[in-house]
Amino acid sequence: MSQGQRWSEIKRVPPGSGTLLTAAAAAADVSPGSEDVKAPRFLSPERRGAPLCGRESPSADFPAPGRPARNPAAGCPAGVANGCRAAARRAVAAQSAAGGGTRGRPRATAAVMCGKGLLLLGLLIVLLQAVQAVQYSGSAESGSNSLKIVGSILFPVKVYVKLDHSSPHILCVTNHLRNSELIDPVFRWNGPGGYLSSENSSVQISPTGTLIFGHFRSDLSGVYTCSLVYKLIAAQPDKRLTIKYLIYAYSDPQYYYELTVQYHAAPCNSFRNTSFGKALLQILSKLIADLSCEVSLIKSECHHVKMQRGGLQNEMFFTFSVTCLDTENNKLCPQSACDAPHRLYKAKDLIERFFKKEVEIREKSSEPLPEIYYIDGTLQMVRVDRCYPGYGVNAVRHPDCPECCVICSPRSYNPSNGIHCLQCDTSLIYGATTC
């Protein structure tokens, strides 16, 4: 749907709400197509039109008759300029020794040599940066995979694995036995679903008893135990050891914006207030629909407000939530443009400009104020962190992952859009969303 068609739909508001035409006109004036809202970007002075070293214009290398040749080192940095001048002097000397050529040719040849040298230097810098980037990403990945967790016989060890990521190496030994020689060790892992083996596609168990998860899921969270049978000396009887782990899935916190706004309203028992609230929700939803974001009405209340040096007036208090939908399957936009925080930032900017435009249009209008209109300065947009349903933040229970959205343990749950797991004595599973 084109921008014009979408704004035409917004203008067809239901009858009975006089200020909706003003709001619709404001929405049309702040169409996303009119100005691309982007997060602030800063360019270095070199990126803002700095002259190219030795290549100011194509004609500069071969000047017209009667016009002096350009210095091939013009515009170069200090260190590079010295190299360019040296190349120019060598080219002039070589040309003079050969006894041929025109007066402008040696400098042109030197400029070409300087340009080729700078091109090679640029390619080397790009290759060096690429190698450094590969080395960094490789070391980060290898560092996470090489992390080893050692168990304890005194208490269960907590392990946190990010959703859809590989787990660290979970060892079936204690810190005391880690550097000891174990004779005829036998490892046996059990999880929430019973006995574990490498035949299960979700886990890997090495010959030394190390447990590794790939693409960790919520339903893999729970209590895991490893039974170890071993000998320190061949002549001694077998020794047995049981190690317990509590493995939790977690994710990074998500966030949304909570929007509060006040309108001068009709009498609180009037149906016009309800109709206006529905129309306002529709307009805001269409305003950010192209960003794959949505607006939801949390609550609307009508109150009598005593004004300074005035009487009572009716005001509507609206609270909305602004969230962005998951668009990972949308292949039509770059990754940065599809990023949810980026789209949410643009949605916030559009909504703020919408209410600003409404005030500007009303101030320029000579018509009397409508019955329902936006009260300037009452808009507030607050960022609110949240976790997925079944997940919550608890720095006391999970001190090693204090800002993580960790899956709710048994006897707790999180229904939706909350930041904490709530107590529920009847819940017996991990990640409960109901009680």
Side-chain angles (χ1 to χ4, degrees):
M1 178 183 297
S2 66
Q3 294 287 354
Q5 292 173 338
R6 185 157 63 85
W7 301 122
S8 297
E9 283 195 8
I10 292 178
K11 291 183 179 181
R12 292 198 293 269
V13 296
S17 301
T19 58
L20 286 182
L21 291 177
T22 303
D29 286 346
V30 295
S31 166
S34 62
E35 180 180 351
D36 186 19
V37 183
K38 296 182 179 179
R41 298 179 61 186
F42 302 93
L43 296 179
S44 62
E46 292 78 12
R47 297 289 300 276
R48 294 198 297 267
L52 298 178
C53 175
R55 309 296 289 176
E56 293 178 354
S57 65
S59 61
D61 290 337
F62 302 97
R67 184 177 299 174
R70 177 184 52 78
N71 182 0
C76 296
V80 180
N82 294 334
C84 293
R85 295 190 185 100
R89 288 195 296 269
R90 288 195 297 269
V92 171
Q95 189 72 14
S96 300
T102 61
R103 188 176 180 184
R105 292 286 180 171
R107 293 185 178 272
T109 305
V112 173
M113 293 171 59
C114 174
K116 291 181 178 179
L118 293 175
L119 178 61
L120 291 175
L121 178 61
L123 290 175
L124 288 175
I125 294 175
V126 171
L127 288 174
L128 178 60
Q129 292 175 344
V131 170
Q132 290 175 342
V134 171
Q135 289 176 346
Y136 176 80
S137 62
S139 62
E141 183 178 357
S142 61
S144 61
N145 290 339
S146 62
L147 178 64
K148 294 178 173 60
I149 307 295
V150 180
S152 172
I153 60 174
L154 301 178
F155 52 85
V157 175
K158 296 180 179 180
V159 181
Y160 303 92
V161 185
K162 193 170 185 178
L163 281 174
D164 298 323
H165 285 68
S166 298
S167 72
H169 293 200
I170 305 172
L171 307 184
C172 187
V173 291
T174 62
N175 193 44
H176 175 71
L177 295 176
R178 184 176 181 181
N179 298 321
S180 302
E181 293 184 355
L182 305 181
I183 300 176
D184 297 330
V186 178
F187 307 94
R188 179 183 175 90
W189 280 96
N190 287 275
Y195 173 70
L196 297 179
S197 67
S198 295
E199 297 178 357
N200 191 328
S201 59
S202 61
V203 299
Q204 296 180 5
I205 300 177
S206 70
T208 57
T210 300
L211 176 66
I212 304 173
F213 292 92
H215 300 286
F216 198 77
R217 307 186 310 269
S218 297
D219 59 338
L220 295 176
S221 301
V223 179
Y224 288 78
T225 59
C226 179
S227 300
L228 171 61
V229 180
Y230 66 99
K231 296 178 182 179
L232 293 177
I233 301 176
Q236 289 183 345
D238 292 340
K239 293 187 176 182
R240 300 180 182 274
L241 196 67
T242 300
I243 302 173
K244 181 182 291 186
Y245 289 94
L246 298 177
I247 303 181
Y248 299 93
Y250 81 93
S251 67
D252 295 326
Q254 308 296 311
Y255 71 92
Y256 67 97
Y257 282 105
E258 188 172 279
L259 181 159
T260 58
V261 64
Q262 295 172 226
Y263 272 80
H264 185 279
C268 286
N269 58 355
S270 174
F271 72 94
R272 294 191 295 275
N273 293 332
T274 303
S275 299
F276 177 83
K278 293 179 180 179
L280 178 62
L281 175 61
Q282 181 184 11
I283 289 173
L284 294 178
S285 298
K286 287 183 177 293
L287 184 66
I288 62 174
D290 286 349
L291 298 173
S292 295
C293 298
E294 64 180 10
V295 180
S296 301
L297 177 63
I298 298 177
K299 65 179 179 179
S300 62
E301 299 175 343
C302 184
H303 296 279
H304 303 291
V305 180
K306 171 65 171 66
M307 304 302 297
Q308 294 181 357
R309 301 179 183 179
L312 292 175
Q313 73 175 24
N314 304 310
E315 291 187 10
M316 289 292 299
F317 292 73
F318 294 102
T319 303
F320 300 95
S321 65
V322 183
T323 58
C324 286
L325 307 177
D326 186 8
T327 59
E328 292 183 356
N329 296 326
N330 186 354
K331 303 301 183 182
L332 299 179
C333 59
Q335 184 64 30
S336 60
C338 288
D339 186 53
H342 180 83
R343 291 182 286 114
L344 191 57
Y345 173 85
K346 296 176 70 175
K348 174 179 178 290
D349 186 84
L350 281 176
I351 292 174
E352 289 175 341
R353 288 197 290 157
F354 167 79
F355 287 101
K356 182 179 178 180
K357 281 289 184 179
E358 185 176 352
V359 174
E360 292 176 358
I361 292 174
R362 191 173 67 234
E363 290 177 347
K364 294 178 181 178
S365 175
S366 58
E367 299 180 359
L369 288 174
E371 183 181 36
I372 303 176
Y373 61 88
Y374 165 63
I375 301 176
D376 188 17
T378 61
L379 172 66
Q380 293 186 353
M381 297 190 71
V382 180
R383 170 175 165 162
V384 180
D385 289 330
R386 64 171 181 174
C387 296
Y388 291 120
Y391 287 75
V393 175
N394 190 331
V396 176
R397 187 181 184 90
H398 304 291
D400 294 330
C401 206
E403 298 181 357
C404 305
C405 287
V406 182
I407 194 167
C408 296
S409 301
R411 303 175 66 87
S412 65
Y413 79 110
N414 185 7
S416 62
N417 292 343
I419 191 67
H420 301 293
C421 296
L422 308 176
Q423 183 174 353
C424 178
D425 294 335
T426 60
S427 174
L428 302 178
I429 63 174
Y430 283 84
T433 58
T434 59
C435 181

